[in-house]
Amino acid sequence: MLEFGLTALFSPAAPETYWVWSNDRTITFDPVAGFRLTREEAYRSRITKGQVEYCGVYRGNNRGFADRDNFVPERTIPAEKLPRYAVFGDSFSHAQYNPHNWPDHAEDLLFDAGRPTQLLNFALDGQGLANWWSILRGEIEKRNYQIDGVIFAVFEDNLFRPFTMIHMNAGKLYLGRLPYWNAERTPKSFAEASRYMPEVKAAHLLDRRNFFRALSGEWTPPVEREWFLLGRMRKLLGRILPPAPLPAPPGLPEDCGPETNEPWRQRMVDEIATIVRRHKWKAIVVYLPSRDDLLAHGKDTFHRSETRRFAEKIGAEFHDSTSLYEALDEADIRGHFLPYDGHWNTEGSDIFAEFMFDLLTRQGRDR
């Protein structure tokens, strides 16, 4: 009876943070982009410590990207009247957890200022260099998009992220990154990719009714408890015994070492540079700091300098959006981000859109 009581009171209960979705049909694996968004609309929310941090609507355009407009490769309006930029980024630029993302807001600001500009948002959650390279080759070049430039909104470690993949299927969400950079071995199907995509246990794909019940607190994830004494023994042994070695990644060993990976990564950078030069596109690279780095007063010099090197290598202008926060105190910085999640909220996204508005307005004057 004592063990039952201790287990009920002190064993692990519901997770502190979890995600809920309103269906399991909105994200599908894609060998070019890593994944694409279907036209099937899904609500998504992150709940932390019982607090709903955000509630957004996820859906794709005609090409499966997080843009409110459909993509048409050919120009419909001359470049001097409507310049077109392809935007690359990650969840900060995808950002369908907010009412709008920064590319959409920047488009609105530019239109209102009499400088209409089209920002084709190819950014998707969790992505980085490997996905950008693949989308640039397999979507933009292959379909001959007529654009004037490219914008890379580079969050801290984006340039060191290998190919990212996400897929929904049968009530489960799978997410993973390849353990290698060899582009010749990129999976061509979900069956191939699935070995690198574990199920995200903290993501719960519900129906619409239970999704809204989760927002109100009527639905919570199933509780996974363990016997109290067993749990204490496991923690004690974990402190005494050395940790078990991690299993080898499922890729071939020669594809997983830094000696092999780094040349492939650099090859992607070189090919991006070649594509930009071949098409004579204007290239803009903007560095996005994390909330933690801003609170630490810009200590992360490595990723910032690597982003600058990337800009130099592809012949791009480099801009550092850290300057947006220089005059803000800790409370103001936190006010631009979600309460627990490290992503910016709408206010943080909007000031970056204003930053890009100023930058692109200057581009327009220089043409």
Side-chain angles (χ1 to χ4, degrees), residues 19 44-46 48 51-55 91-92 95 97-99 291-292 295 333-349:
W19 290 261
R44 174 191 171 184
S45 179
R46 172 176 156 133
T48 304
Q51 177 180 349
V52 176
E53 292 199 70
Y54 60 73
C55 181
S91 48
F92 284 82
Y97 56 85
N98 282 329
R291 177 187 59 194
D292 292 343
L295 294 173
I333 291 173
R334 291 187 181 278
H336 288 80
F337 291 84
L338 295 166
Y340 301 101
D341 186 284
H343 291 93
W344 55 29
N345 55 22
T346 306
E347 186 174 355
S349 178

PDB file of all heavy atoms in Angstrom, residues 19 44-46 48 51-55 91-92 95 97-99 291-292 295 333-349:
ATOM      1  N   TRP A  19       3.004  19.054 -27.695  1.00  0.00           N
ATOM      2  CA  TRP A  19       2.381  19.700 -28.842  1.00  0.00           C
ATOM      3  C   TRP A  19       1.116  18.935 -29.215  1.00  0.00           C
ATOM      4  O   TRP A  19       1.079  17.702 -29.124  1.00  0.00           O
ATOM      5  CB  TRP A  19       3.328  19.693 -30.045  1.00  0.00           C
ATOM      6  CG  TRP A  19       4.510  20.603 -29.904  1.00  0.00           C
ATOM      7  CD1 TRP A  19       4.655  21.855 -30.431  1.00  0.00           C
ATOM      8  CD2 TRP A  19       5.725  20.326 -29.192  1.00  0.00           C
ATOM      9  NE1 TRP A  19       5.880  22.374 -30.090  1.00  0.00           N
ATOM     10  CE2 TRP A  19       6.559  21.461 -29.322  1.00  0.00           C
ATOM     11  CE3 TRP A  19       6.180  19.237 -28.445  1.00  0.00           C
ATOM     12  CZ2 TRP A  19       7.822  21.534 -28.746  1.00  0.00           C
ATOM     13  CZ3 TRP A  19       7.440  19.301 -27.858  1.00  0.00           C
ATOM     14  CH2 TRP A  19       8.248  20.436 -28.017  1.00  0.00           C
ATOM     15  N   ARG A  44      -2.167  23.837 -34.716  1.00  0.00           N
ATOM     16  CA  ARG A  44      -1.052  23.320 -33.924  1.00  0.00           C
ATOM     17  C   ARG A  44      -0.864  24.213 -32.710  1.00  0.00           C
ATOM     18  O   ARG A  44      -0.941  25.433 -32.807  1.00  0.00           O
ATOM     19  CB  ARG A  44       0.234  23.314 -34.740  1.00  0.00           C
ATOM     20  CG  ARG A  44       1.474  22.916 -33.928  1.00  0.00           C
ATOM     21  CD  ARG A  44       2.754  23.179 -34.694  1.00  0.00           C
ATOM     22  NE  ARG A  44       3.924  23.013 -33.856  1.00  0.00           N
ATOM     23  CZ  ARG A  44       5.164  23.262 -34.265  1.00  0.00           C
ATOM     24  NH1 ARG A  44       5.385  23.704 -35.486  1.00  0.00           N
ATOM     25  NH2 ARG A  44       6.189  23.090 -33.452  1.00  0.00           N
ATOM     26  N   SER A  45      -0.617  23.598 -31.566  1.00  0.00           N
ATOM     27  CA  SER A  45      -0.404  24.368 -30.346  1.00  0.00           C
ATOM     28  C   SER A  45       0.691  23.709 -29.513  1.00  0.00           C
ATOM     29  O   SER A  45       0.830  22.490 -29.508  1.00  0.00           O
ATOM     30  CB  SER A  45      -1.697  24.451 -29.524  1.00  0.00           C
ATOM     31  OG  SER A  45      -1.485  25.169 -28.324  1.00  0.00           O
ATOM     32  N   ARG A  46       1.451  24.539 -28.836  1.00  0.00           N
ATOM     33  CA  ARG A  46       2.423  24.057 -27.839  1.00  0.00           C
ATOM     34  C   ARG A  46       1.902  24.451 -26.464  1.00  0.00           C
ATOM     35  O   ARG A  46       1.560  25.611 -26.227  1.00  0.00           O
ATOM     36  CB  ARG A  46       3.803  24.658 -28.082  1.00  0.00           C
ATOM     37  CG  ARG A  46       4.805  24.343 -26.957  1.00  0.00           C
ATOM     38  CD  ARG A  46       6.175  24.878 -27.270  1.00  0.00           C
ATOM     39  NE  ARG A  46       6.927  25.083 -26.038  1.00  0.00           N
ATOM     40  CZ  ARG A  46       8.176  24.682 -25.833  1.00  0.00           C
ATOM     41  NH1 ARG A  46       8.818  24.035 -26.767  1.00  0.00           N
ATOM     42  NH2 ARG A  46       8.789  24.937 -24.692  1.00  0.00           N
ATOM     43  N   THR A  48       2.819  24.353 -22.397  1.00  0.00           N
ATOM     44  CA  THR A  48       3.907  24.205 -21.432  1.00  0.00           C
ATOM     45  C   THR A  48       3.411  24.605 -20.050  1.00  0.00           C
ATOM     46  O   THR A  48       2.870  25.699 -19.872  1.00  0.00           O
ATOM     47  CB  THR A  48       5.107  25.084 -21.820  1.00  0.00           C
ATOM     48  OG1 THR A  48       5.519  24.760 -23.158  1.00  0.00           O
ATOM     49  CG2 THR A  48       6.277  24.859 -20.868  1.00  0.00           C
ATOM     50  N   GLN A  51       0.117  26.072 -19.849  1.00  0.00           N
ATOM     51  CA  GLN A  51      -0.119  27.335 -20.543  1.00  0.00           C
ATOM     52  C   GLN A  51      -0.034  27.130 -22.050  1.00  0.00           C
ATOM     53  O   GLN A  51       0.921  26.535 -22.558  1.00  0.00           O
ATOM     54  CB  GLN A  51       0.929  28.382 -20.116  1.00  0.00           C
ATOM     55  CG  GLN A  51       0.801  29.717 -20.834  1.00  0.00           C
ATOM     56  CD  GLN A  51       1.841  30.722 -20.386  1.00  0.00           C
ATOM     57  OE1 GLN A  51       2.536  30.506 -19.393  1.00  0.00           O
ATOM     58  NE2 GLN A  51       1.966  31.823 -21.102  1.00  0.00           N
ATOM     59  N   VAL A  52      -1.041  27.614 -22.783  1.00  0.00           N
ATOM     60  CA  VAL A  52      -1.016  27.560 -24.244  1.00  0.00           C
ATOM     61  C   VAL A  52      -0.091  28.668 -24.736  1.00  0.00           C
ATOM     62  O   VAL A  52      -0.403  29.854 -24.611  1.00  0.00           O
ATOM     63  CB  VAL A  52      -2.429  27.732 -24.832  1.00  0.00           C
ATOM     64  CG1 VAL A  52      -2.371  27.775 -26.358  1.00  0.00           C
ATOM     65  CG2 VAL A  52      -3.344  26.602 -24.362  1.00  0.00           C
ATOM     66  N   GLU A  53       1.071  28.274 -25.276  1.00  0.00           N
ATOM     67  CA  GLU A  53       2.039  29.281 -25.721  1.00  0.00           C
ATOM     68  C   GLU A  53       1.656  29.890 -27.064  1.00  0.00           C
ATOM     69  O   GLU A  53       1.910  31.062 -27.321  1.00  0.00           O
ATOM     70  CB  GLU A  53       3.431  28.665 -25.815  1.00  0.00           C
ATOM     71  CG  GLU A  53       4.034  28.284 -24.475  1.00  0.00           C
ATOM     72  CD  GLU A  53       5.534  28.130 -24.569  1.00  0.00           C
ATOM     73  OE1 GLU A  53       6.234  29.143 -24.736  1.00  0.00           O
ATOM     74  OE2 GLU A  53       5.995  26.982 -24.485  1.00  0.00           O
ATOM     75  N   TYR A  54       1.091  29.088 -27.938  1.00  0.00           N
ATOM     76  CA  TYR A  54       0.624  29.594 -29.222  1.00  0.00           C
ATOM     77  C   TYR A  54      -0.407  28.634 -29.781  1.00  0.00           C
ATOM     78  O   TYR A  54      -0.513  27.483 -29.349  1.00  0.00           O
ATOM     79  CB  TYR A  54       1.771  29.794 -30.215  1.00  0.00           C
ATOM     80  CG  TYR A  54       2.560  28.534 -30.536  1.00  0.00           C
ATOM     81  CD1 TYR A  54       2.039  27.528 -31.338  1.00  0.00           C
ATOM     82  CD2 TYR A  54       3.846  28.363 -30.042  1.00  0.00           C
ATOM     83  CE1 TYR A  54       2.754  26.383 -31.633  1.00  0.00           C
ATOM     84  CE2 TYR A  54       4.581  27.222 -30.334  1.00  0.00           C
ATOM     85  CZ  TYR A  54       4.034  26.234 -31.136  1.00  0.00           C
ATOM     86  OH  TYR A  54       4.755  25.100 -31.423  1.00  0.00           O
ATOM     87  N   CYS A  55      -1.162  29.116 -30.730  1.00  0.00           N
ATOM     88  CA  CYS A  55      -2.111  28.273 -31.456  1.00  0.00           C
ATOM     89  C   CYS A  55      -2.146  28.795 -32.885  1.00  0.00           C
ATOM     90  O   CYS A  55      -2.657  29.891 -33.141  1.00  0.00           O
ATOM     91  CB  CYS A  55      -3.494  28.319 -30.830  1.00  0.00           C
ATOM     92  SG  CYS A  55      -4.693  27.263 -31.677  1.00  0.00           S
ATOM     93  N   SER A  91      12.102  27.678 -38.819  1.00  0.00           N
ATOM     94  CA  SER A  91      10.818  27.924 -38.161  1.00  0.00           C
ATOM     95  C   SER A  91      10.572  29.401 -37.872  1.00  0.00           C
ATOM     96  O   SER A  91       9.421  29.826 -37.771  1.00  0.00           O
ATOM     97  CB  SER A  91      10.731  27.116 -36.864  1.00  0.00           C
ATOM     98  OG  SER A  91      11.903  27.272 -36.092  1.00  0.00           O
ATOM     99  N   PHE A  92      11.624  30.206 -37.742  1.00  0.00           N
ATOM    100  CA  PHE A  92      11.435  31.635 -37.513  1.00  0.00           C
ATOM    101  C   PHE A  92      10.825  32.319 -38.739  1.00  0.00           C
ATOM    102  O   PHE A  92      10.161  33.347 -38.611  1.00  0.00           O
ATOM    103  CB  PHE A  92      12.772  32.305 -37.155  1.00  0.00           C
ATOM    104  CG  PHE A  92      13.219  32.042 -35.742  1.00  0.00           C
ATOM    105  CD1 PHE A  92      13.871  30.880 -35.402  1.00  0.00           C
ATOM    106  CD2 PHE A  92      12.974  32.976 -34.741  1.00  0.00           C
ATOM    107  CE1 PHE A  92      14.279  30.633 -34.102  1.00  0.00           C
ATOM    108  CE2 PHE A  92      13.373  32.739 -33.440  1.00  0.00           C
ATOM    109  CZ  PHE A  92      14.026  31.563 -33.114  1.00  0.00           C
ATOM    110  N   ALA A  95       7.065  29.937 -39.397  1.00  0.00           N
ATOM    111  CA  ALA A  95       6.307  30.641 -38.354  1.00  0.00           C
ATOM    112  C   ALA A  95       4.801  30.679 -38.529  1.00  0.00           C
ATOM    113  O   ALA A  95       4.176  31.708 -38.273  1.00  0.00           O
ATOM    114  CB  ALA A  95       6.849  32.070 -38.195  1.00  0.00           C
ATOM    115  N   TYR A  97       2.937  29.296 -36.559  1.00  0.00           N
ATOM    116  CA  TYR A  97       2.389  29.292 -35.204  1.00  0.00           C
ATOM    117  C   TYR A  97       1.932  30.695 -34.804  1.00  0.00           C
ATOM    118  O   TYR A  97       1.182  30.863 -33.835  1.00  0.00           O
ATOM    119  CB  TYR A  97       3.430  28.753 -34.204  1.00  0.00           C
ATOM    120  CG  TYR A  97       4.744  29.499 -34.205  1.00  0.00           C
ATOM    121  CD1 TYR A  97       4.910  30.654 -33.448  1.00  0.00           C
ATOM    122  CD2 TYR A  97       5.820  29.057 -34.950  1.00  0.00           C
ATOM    123  CE1 TYR A  97       6.100  31.346 -33.452  1.00  0.00           C
ATOM    124  CE2 TYR A  97       7.017  29.731 -34.956  1.00  0.00           C
ATOM    125  CZ  TYR A  97       7.161  30.883 -34.201  1.00  0.00           C
ATOM    126  OH  TYR A  97       8.349  31.569 -34.208  1.00  0.00           O
ATOM    127  N   ASN A  98       2.405  31.733 -35.520  1.00  0.00           N
ATOM    128  CA  ASN A  98       1.958  33.109 -35.307  1.00  0.00           C
ATOM    129  C   ASN A  98       0.826  33.444 -36.281  1.00  0.00           C
ATOM    130  O   ASN A  98       0.632  32.738 -37.279  1.00  0.00           O
ATOM    131  CB  ASN A  98       3.122  34.083 -35.532  1.00  0.00           C
ATOM    132  CG  ASN A  98       4.081  34.139 -34.350  1.00  0.00           C
ATOM    133  OD1 ASN A  98       3.675  33.958 -33.197  1.00  0.00           O
ATOM    134  ND2 ASN A  98       5.352  34.387 -34.625  1.00  0.00           N
ATOM    135  N   PRO A  99       0.091  34.532 -36.028  1.00  0.00           N
ATOM    136  CA  PRO A  99      -0.965  34.924 -36.969  1.00  0.00           C
ATOM    137  C   PRO A  99      -0.431  35.186 -38.379  1.00  0.00           C
ATOM    138  O   PRO A  99      -1.144  34.995 -39.366  1.00  0.00           O
ATOM    139  CB  PRO A  99      -1.542  36.203 -36.343  1.00  0.00           C
ATOM    140  CG  PRO A  99      -1.229  36.083 -34.888  1.00  0.00           C
ATOM    141  CD  PRO A  99       0.089  35.373 -34.811  1.00  0.00           C
ATOM    142  N   ARG A 291      17.123  33.965 -28.479  1.00  0.00           N
ATOM    143  CA  ARG A 291      16.777  34.689 -27.253  1.00  0.00           C
ATOM    144  C   ARG A 291      17.874  34.531 -26.206  1.00  0.00           C
ATOM    145  O   ARG A 291      18.269  35.521 -25.560  1.00  0.00           O
ATOM    146  CB  ARG A 291      15.456  34.163 -26.697  1.00  0.00           C
ATOM    147  CG  ARG A 291      15.036  34.795 -25.369  1.00  0.00           C
ATOM    148  CD  ARG A 291      13.817  34.101 -24.801  1.00  0.00           C
ATOM    149  NE  ARG A 291      14.077  32.674 -24.589  1.00  0.00           N
ATOM    150  CZ  ARG A 291      13.127  31.768 -24.356  1.00  0.00           C
ATOM    151  NH1 ARG A 291      11.870  32.121 -24.322  1.00  0.00           N
ATOM    152  NH2 ARG A 291      13.442  30.500 -24.167  1.00  0.00           N
ATOM    153  N   ASP A 292      18.391  33.310 -26.052  1.00  0.00           N
ATOM    154  CA  ASP A 292      19.418  33.077 -25.036  1.00  0.00           C
ATOM    155  C   ASP A 292      20.685  33.862 -25.339  1.00  0.00           C
ATOM    156  O   ASP A 292      21.338  34.385 -24.432  1.00  0.00           O
ATOM    157  CB  ASP A 292      19.741  31.586 -24.944  1.00  0.00           C
ATOM    158  CG  ASP A 292      18.570  30.776 -24.380  1.00  0.00           C
ATOM    159  OD1 ASP A 292      17.669  31.394 -23.775  1.00  0.00           O
ATOM    160  OD2 ASP A 292      18.571  29.544 -24.543  1.00  0.00           O
ATOM    161  N   LEU A 295      20.080  37.491 -24.430  1.00  0.00           N
ATOM    162  CA  LEU A 295      20.126  37.687 -22.984  1.00  0.00           C
ATOM    163  C   LEU A 295      21.548  37.585 -22.453  1.00  0.00           C
ATOM    164  O   LEU A 295      21.871  38.156 -21.404  1.00  0.00           O
ATOM    165  CB  LEU A 295      19.219  36.666 -22.282  1.00  0.00           C
ATOM    166  CG  LEU A 295      17.725  36.821 -22.563  1.00  0.00           C
ATOM    167  CD1 LEU A 295      16.941  35.663 -21.952  1.00  0.00           C
ATOM    168  CD2 LEU A 295      17.203  38.152 -22.024  1.00  0.00           C
ATOM    169  N   ILE A 333      13.458  42.192 -24.144  1.00  0.00           N
ATOM    170  CA  ILE A 333      13.885  41.106 -25.027  1.00  0.00           C
ATOM    171  C   ILE A 333      12.949  39.915 -24.873  1.00  0.00           C
ATOM    172  O   ILE A 333      12.463  39.346 -25.855  1.00  0.00           O
ATOM    173  CB  ILE A 333      15.342  40.696 -24.721  1.00  0.00           C
ATOM    174  CG1 ILE A 333      16.303  41.807 -25.146  1.00  0.00           C
ATOM    175  CG2 ILE A 333      15.689  39.381 -25.430  1.00  0.00           C
ATOM    176  CD1 ILE A 333      17.738  41.575 -24.726  1.00  0.00           C
ATOM    177  N   ARG A 334      12.676  39.545 -23.627  1.00  0.00           N
ATOM    178  CA  ARG A 334      11.767  38.413 -23.392  1.00  0.00           C
ATOM    179  C   ARG A 334      10.382  38.696 -23.962  1.00  0.00           C
ATOM    180  O   ARG A 334       9.672  37.774 -24.388  1.00  0.00           O
ATOM    181  CB  ARG A 334      11.674  38.120 -21.895  1.00  0.00           C
ATOM    182  CG  ARG A 334      12.962  37.544 -21.306  1.00  0.00           C
ATOM    183  CD  ARG A 334      12.773  37.111 -19.862  1.00  0.00           C
ATOM    184  NE  ARG A 334      14.004  36.591 -19.291  1.00  0.00           N
ATOM    185  CZ  ARG A 334      14.461  35.351 -19.463  1.00  0.00           C
ATOM    186  NH1 ARG A 334      13.776  34.499 -20.207  1.00  0.00           N
ATOM    187  NH2 ARG A 334      15.597  34.964 -18.907  1.00  0.00           N
ATOM    188  N   GLY A 335       9.990  39.947 -23.984  1.00  0.00           N
ATOM    189  CA  GLY A 335       8.682  40.317 -24.502  1.00  0.00           C
ATOM    190  C   GLY A 335       8.532  40.103 -25.997  1.00  0.00           C
ATOM    191  O   GLY A 335       7.416  40.174 -26.519  1.00  0.00           O
ATOM    192  N   HIS A 336       9.645  39.852 -26.697  1.00  0.00           N
ATOM    193  CA  HIS A 336       9.599  39.582 -28.132  1.00  0.00           C
ATOM    194  C   HIS A 336       9.611  38.090 -28.447  1.00  0.00           C
ATOM    195  O   HIS A 336       9.657  37.712 -29.621  1.00  0.00           O
ATOM    196  CB  HIS A 336      10.780  40.260 -28.831  1.00  0.00           C
ATOM    197  CG  HIS A 336      10.647  41.752 -28.919  1.00  0.00           C
ATOM    198  ND1 HIS A 336      10.932  42.580 -27.864  1.00  0.00           N
ATOM    199  CD2 HIS A 336      10.234  42.562 -29.934  1.00  0.00           C
ATOM    200  CE1 HIS A 336      10.721  43.838 -28.221  1.00  0.00           C
ATOM    201  NE2 HIS A 336      10.292  43.848 -29.460  1.00  0.00           N
ATOM    202  N   PHE A 337       9.595  37.261 -27.396  1.00  0.00           N
ATOM    203  CA  PHE A 337       9.653  35.813 -27.591  1.00  0.00           C
ATOM    204  C   PHE A 337       8.521  35.141 -26.826  1.00  0.00           C
ATOM    205  O   PHE A 337       7.885  35.747 -25.955  1.00  0.00           O
ATOM    206  CB  PHE A 337      11.003  35.264 -27.121  1.00  0.00           C
ATOM    207  CG  PHE A 337      12.159  35.685 -27.980  1.00  0.00           C
ATOM    208  CD1 PHE A 337      12.786  36.912 -27.780  1.00  0.00           C
ATOM    209  CD2 PHE A 337      12.613  34.877 -29.006  1.00  0.00           C
ATOM    210  CE1 PHE A 337      13.845  37.317 -28.582  1.00  0.00           C
ATOM    211  CE2 PHE A 337      13.667  35.261 -29.809  1.00  0.00           C
ATOM    212  CZ  PHE A 337      14.292  36.491 -29.597  1.00  0.00           C
ATOM    213  N   LEU A 338       8.269  33.887 -27.153  1.00  0.00           N
ATOM    214  CA  LEU A 338       7.254  33.111 -26.447  1.00  0.00           C
ATOM    215  C   LEU A 338       7.708  32.861 -25.007  1.00  0.00           C
ATOM    216  O   LEU A 338       8.901  32.933 -24.701  1.00  0.00           O
ATOM    217  CB  LEU A 338       7.008  31.794 -27.178  1.00  0.00           C
ATOM    218  CG  LEU A 338       6.415  31.947 -28.583  1.00  0.00           C
ATOM    219  CD1 LEU A 338       6.520  30.646 -29.365  1.00  0.00           C
ATOM    220  CD2 LEU A 338       4.964  32.402 -28.516  1.00  0.00           C
ATOM    221  N   PRO A 339       6.778  32.560 -24.101  1.00  0.00           N
ATOM    222  CA  PRO A 339       7.129  32.460 -22.678  1.00  0.00           C
ATOM    223  C   PRO A 339       8.202  31.414 -22.361  1.00  0.00           C
ATOM    224  O   PRO A 339       9.129  31.680 -21.589  1.00  0.00           O
ATOM    225  CB  PRO A 339       5.800  32.090 -22.007  1.00  0.00           C
ATOM    226  CG  PRO A 339       4.740  32.543 -22.946  1.00  0.00           C
ATOM    227  CD  PRO A 339       5.323  32.418 -24.317  1.00  0.00           C
ATOM    228  N   TYR A 340       8.090  30.226 -22.957  1.00  0.00           N
ATOM    229  CA  TYR A 340       9.058  29.151 -22.697  1.00  0.00           C
ATOM    230  C   TYR A 340       9.780  28.735 -23.971  1.00  0.00           C
ATOM    231  O   TYR A 340      10.994  28.580 -23.983  1.00  0.00           O
ATOM    232  CB  TYR A 340       8.340  27.937 -22.084  1.00  0.00           C
ATOM    233  CG  TYR A 340       7.629  28.247 -20.783  1.00  0.00           C
ATOM    234  CD1 TYR A 340       6.248  28.443 -20.752  1.00  0.00           C
ATOM    235  CD2 TYR A 340       8.337  28.356 -19.592  1.00  0.00           C
ATOM    236  CE1 TYR A 340       5.593  28.739 -19.570  1.00  0.00           C
ATOM    237  CE2 TYR A 340       7.693  28.651 -18.404  1.00  0.00           C
ATOM    238  CZ  TYR A 340       6.316  28.835 -18.397  1.00  0.00           C
ATOM    239  OH  TYR A 340       5.672  29.134 -17.215  1.00  0.00           O
ATOM    240  N   ASP A 341       9.037  28.541 -25.028  1.00  0.00           N
ATOM    241  CA  ASP A 341       9.611  28.194 -26.324  1.00  0.00           C
ATOM    242  C   ASP A 341      10.579  29.296 -26.760  1.00  0.00           C
ATOM    243  O   ASP A 341      10.352  30.472 -26.502  1.00  0.00           O
ATOM    244  CB  ASP A 341       8.465  28.056 -27.333  1.00  0.00           C
ATOM    245  CG  ASP A 341       8.923  27.549 -28.675  1.00  0.00           C
ATOM    246  OD1 ASP A 341       9.510  28.338 -29.430  1.00  0.00           O
ATOM    247  OD2 ASP A 341       8.695  26.366 -28.973  1.00  0.00           O
ATOM    248  N   GLY A 342      11.655  28.895 -27.437  1.00  0.00           N
ATOM    249  CA  GLY A 342      12.677  29.866 -27.824  1.00  0.00           C
ATOM    250  C   GLY A 342      12.373  30.676 -29.055  1.00  0.00           C
ATOM    251  O   GLY A 342      13.183  31.516 -29.458  1.00  0.00           O
ATOM    252  N   HIS A 343      11.219  30.464 -29.696  1.00  0.00           N
ATOM    253  CA  HIS A 343      10.884  31.219 -30.900  1.00  0.00           C
ATOM    254  C   HIS A 343      10.315  32.593 -30.557  1.00  0.00           C
ATOM    255  O   HIS A 343       9.746  32.794 -29.485  1.00  0.00           O
ATOM    256  CB  HIS A 343       9.861  30.447 -31.740  1.00  0.00           C
ATOM    257  CG  HIS A 343      10.429  29.211 -32.357  1.00  0.00           C
ATOM    258  ND1 HIS A 343      10.342  27.972 -31.760  1.00  0.00           N
ATOM    259  CD2 HIS A 343      11.103  29.026 -33.520  1.00  0.00           C
ATOM    260  CE1 HIS A 343      10.932  27.066 -32.528  1.00  0.00           C
ATOM    261  NE2 HIS A 343      11.396  27.677 -33.606  1.00  0.00           N
ATOM    262  N   TRP A 344      10.456  33.500 -31.528  1.00  0.00           N
ATOM    263  CA  TRP A 344       9.865  34.815 -31.283  1.00  0.00           C
ATOM    264  C   TRP A 344       8.341  34.759 -31.415  1.00  0.00           C
ATOM    265  O   TRP A 344       7.771  33.896 -32.081  1.00  0.00           O
ATOM    266  CB  TRP A 344      10.459  35.877 -32.195  1.00  0.00           C
ATOM    267  CG  TRP A 344      10.408  35.618 -33.679  1.00  0.00           C
ATOM    268  CD1 TRP A 344       9.484  34.896 -34.361  1.00  0.00           C
ATOM    269  CD2 TRP A 344      11.354  36.081 -34.648  1.00  0.00           C
ATOM    270  NE1 TRP A 344       9.781  34.894 -35.700  1.00  0.00           N
ATOM    271  CE2 TRP A 344      10.908  35.616 -35.921  1.00  0.00           C
ATOM    272  CE3 TRP A 344      12.498  36.873 -34.599  1.00  0.00           C
ATOM    273  CZ2 TRP A 344      11.592  35.903 -37.100  1.00  0.00           C
ATOM    274  CZ3 TRP A 344      13.169  37.155 -35.774  1.00  0.00           C
ATOM    275  CH2 TRP A 344      12.727  36.672 -36.993  1.00  0.00           C
ATOM    276  N   ASN A 345       7.682  35.688 -30.747  1.00  0.00           N
ATOM    277  CA  ASN A 345       6.236  35.829 -30.877  1.00  0.00           C
ATOM    278  C   ASN A 345       5.946  36.789 -32.030  1.00  0.00           C
ATOM    279  O   ASN A 345       6.854  37.165 -32.786  1.00  0.00           O
ATOM    280  CB  ASN A 345       5.611  36.297 -29.558  1.00  0.00           C
ATOM    281  CG  ASN A 345       6.252  37.590 -29.048  1.00  0.00           C
ATOM    282  OD1 ASN A 345       6.844  38.357 -29.829  1.00  0.00           O
ATOM    283  ND2 ASN A 345       6.145  37.831 -27.754  1.00  0.00           N
ATOM    284  N   THR A 346       4.697  37.206 -32.167  1.00  0.00           N
ATOM    285  CA  THR A 346       4.343  38.084 -33.282  1.00  0.00           C
ATOM    286  C   THR A 346       5.098  39.402 -33.220  1.00  0.00           C
ATOM    287  O   THR A 346       5.534  39.928 -34.251  1.00  0.00           O
ATOM    288  CB  THR A 346       2.822  38.352 -33.289  1.00  0.00           C
ATOM    289  OG1 THR A 346       2.117  37.099 -33.295  1.00  0.00           O
ATOM    290  CG2 THR A 346       2.416  39.149 -34.516  1.00  0.00           C
ATOM    291  N   GLU A 347       5.288  39.942 -32.023  1.00  0.00           N
ATOM    292  CA  GLU A 347       6.005  41.209 -31.892  1.00  0.00           C
ATOM    293  C   GLU A 347       7.446  41.069 -32.365  1.00  0.00           C
ATOM    294  O   GLU A 347       7.964  41.925 -33.085  1.00  0.00           O
ATOM    295  CB  GLU A 347       5.975  41.691 -30.436  1.00  0.00           C
ATOM    296  CG  GLU A 347       6.571  43.072 -30.246  1.00  0.00           C
ATOM    297  CD  GLU A 347       6.406  43.590 -28.829  1.00  0.00           C
ATOM    298  OE1 GLU A 347       5.737  42.914 -28.027  1.00  0.00           O
ATOM    299  OE2 GLU A 347       6.946  44.668 -28.524  1.00  0.00           O
ATOM    300  N   GLY A 348       8.102  39.976 -31.968  1.00  0.00           N
ATOM    301  CA  GLY A 348       9.470  39.753 -32.422  1.00  0.00           C
ATOM    302  C   GLY A 348       9.552  39.546 -33.921  1.00  0.00           C
ATOM    303  O   GLY A 348      10.470  40.043 -34.592  1.00  0.00           O
ATOM    304  N   SER A 349       8.600  38.803 -34.475  1.00  0.00           N
ATOM    305  CA  SER A 349       8.560  38.584 -35.915  1.00  0.00           C
ATOM    306  C   SER A 349       8.325  39.893 -36.663  1.00  0.00           C
ATOM    307  O   SER A 349       8.940  40.154 -37.706  1.00  0.00           O
ATOM    308  CB  SER A 349       7.444  37.584 -36.245  1.00  0.00           C
ATOM    309  OG  SER A 349       7.332  37.378 -37.633  1.00  0.00           O
TER     310      SER A 349
END
